[in-house]
Each structure stands twice: as structure tokens, then as C-alpha cells.
Amino acid sequence: MMDIEQFITIIIALIGWFLAIYQFYSDKAAKKQYATLNMKFEAYSRCIKKLEEINSAANKEIASFLSLGENMKNFFFGNPEEIESSVNSICSDIVNMLTNSIDRIVMLKQELQSTLLVASNDVCIIINQLIVLTEEFETEMRQCISTISHDDPMSFMNLKNITENTKWIQYKQKQEELLLLMRQELQIK
């Protein structure tokens, strides 16, 4: 039969084996959790960076729109030759500005959609709301471009619909909410 020392040795060996197996699987789970968190961090970082690029570019577009002032002055107070030239220049600048904005919106939408792959359900809800808003902005800008004509000097007034759109406020709020949720999910305080 087995004496007490051999029995204790076997029990200690079994406990050691169970602890080793437990350690192996807990390390594996921790590594998987770390990899998932790291993947989310990378995706969220790209998304936030793209959002910031879009916001920065939008601010620059506003500044360039304000620089149209000289052409606007010629439009309202210039002689007939300057008026036609100013109208053409204004329409061309507005169309270019809107086209650039649409391109950036499409890039943002693509980045948001790719972030959906790793996002939690709460983050997905906000991202989907932002995607809907970006699609609405894109549609409105495309409609505005289609109505701008150098033959109709007042057609550029359609920009008023875009600039006075309250969805921009909603977009900014959703963007801040998204950042907060992402930080919570990544456990960043």
C-alpha cells in the first residue's frame, strides 16, 4: 500500500498540475482580452483621427468660404464685367468646396463603417447614427451642387440650407458621445 508521504506527494503533484493548467488558460484568456482591447484601441484611434481631420477640414472650408468676400463685393458693387467674373468664380469655388466636403464625408463614412467591426453594441448605435447623419449631409451637399449655376447668380444661396442645418449640432453631440463611450470601453479615464 501507499504510505502517507507518497499520498501527500501525489496530492501536491496534482495540485501543481491543476494550478499550471489554470495558469495556462487564464494567461491565454488575458492575452486574448489584451489583443481585443488593443485591436479596439487601434480602430477607435483611427476613427477619432478621421473625425478630427474632417472637423479641421470643415473649419478650413468655412475660412475659405469667408475668403469669397472679395468676389461677393464685386458681385454686389462691381461693374458688369466684374459681376459676371465674380459670379463664375463664386460658383466654381462653392462647387469645389462642396465636392471636397463630400469626398471627406465619404471617407469618414468608410472609417465609421470599418470601426463597426470591433465596436461594442453601445458604440455601434452611436456610429450608426453618425453614419445616417453623414449620409444626409452628403445628400444635401449633392443636391446643393446640382442647383448651383453661374447662369443664376442667386442659386448659391442654396448653401443657406446647409449652413443653417441643425444636424451639425446633433452631429457634434454624437461625436462627443462616441468619444466618451470609446474611452469608457477602453477603460481610459
Side-chain angles (χ1 to χ4, degrees):
M1 289 255 77
M2 200 178 337
D3 67 351
I4 194 105
E5 282 183 20
Q6 289 176 335
F7 182 72
I8 291 174
T9 306
I10 292 172
I11 296 295
I12 290 173
L14 288 174
I15 290 172
W17 273 94
F18 285 123
L19 288 176
I21 291 170
Y22 173 77
Q23 184 69 31
F24 173 77
Y25 284 111
S26 65
D27 280 351
K28 191 174 181 180
K31 286 179 184 177
K32 184 177 179 181
Q33 184 180 13
Y34 176 77
T36 301
L37 194 61
N38 193 36
M39 184 173 46
K40 282 185 177 188
F41 177 78
E42 293 297 322
Y44 289 177
S45 294
R46 283 191 313 271
C47 182
I48 295 300
K49 183 179 178 185
K50 187 60 71 178
L51 286 168
E52 289 304 317
E53 285 176 16
I54 299 299
N55 290 340
S56 176
N59 289 336
K60 288 177 185 175
E61 289 293 337
I62 290 170
S64 70
F65 182 72
L66 296 175
S67 72
L68 293 173
E70 186 62 35
N71 286 327
M72 297 292 263
K73 184 177 118 185
N74 289 337
F75 173 73
F76 289 111
F77 302 112
N79 62 43
E81 295 97 33
E82 289 178 333
I83 290 174
E84 185 175 339
S85 170
S86 294
V87 168
N88 289 336
S89 179
I90 289 169
C91 289
S92 174
D93 290 345
I94 289 172
V95 168
N96 288 337
M97 180 183 67
L98 290 173
T99 303
N100 291 338
S101 295
I102 289 171
D103 291 343
R104 281 190 293 280
I105 285 174
V106 168
M107 287 188 303
L108 173 62
K109 191 169 61 171
Q110 290 170 347
E111 188 64 44
L112 288 170
Q113 288 170 335
S114 70
T115 305
L116 286 172
L117 294 173
V118 296
S120 67
N121 289 338
D122 292 337
V123 172
C124 284
I125 290 169
I126 302 298
I127 288 175
N128 283 325
Q129 291 170 348
L130 281 170
I131 289 172
V132 168
L133 285 171
T134 57
E135 288 171 346
E136 290 173 3
F137 293 146
E138 181 182 355
T139 301
E140 290 171 5
M141 287 183 186
R142 289 187 191 282
Q143 289 172 347
C144 188
I145 286 175
S146 68
T147 61
I148 293 175
S149 167
H150 65 277
D151 294 332
D152 180 11
M154 299 310 286
S155 66
F156 67 89
M157 297 303 285
N158 292 326
L159 284 174
K160 184 178 180 183
N161 296 339
I162 292 174
T163 58
E164 293 180 353
N165 195 333
T166 58
K167 291 177 190 167
W168 290 108
I169 296 169
Q170 185 182 4
Y171 173 81
K172 188 66 176 165
Q173 290 170 342
K174 291 295 175 190
Q175 185 178 345
E176 290 170 3
E177 190 177 339
L178 177 66
L179 180 61
L180 181 66
L181 279 173
M182 286 177 169
R183 290 177 64 87
Q184 287 174 349
E185 192 171 307
L186 295 173
Q187 302 165 354
I188 299 172
K189 296 182 182 193

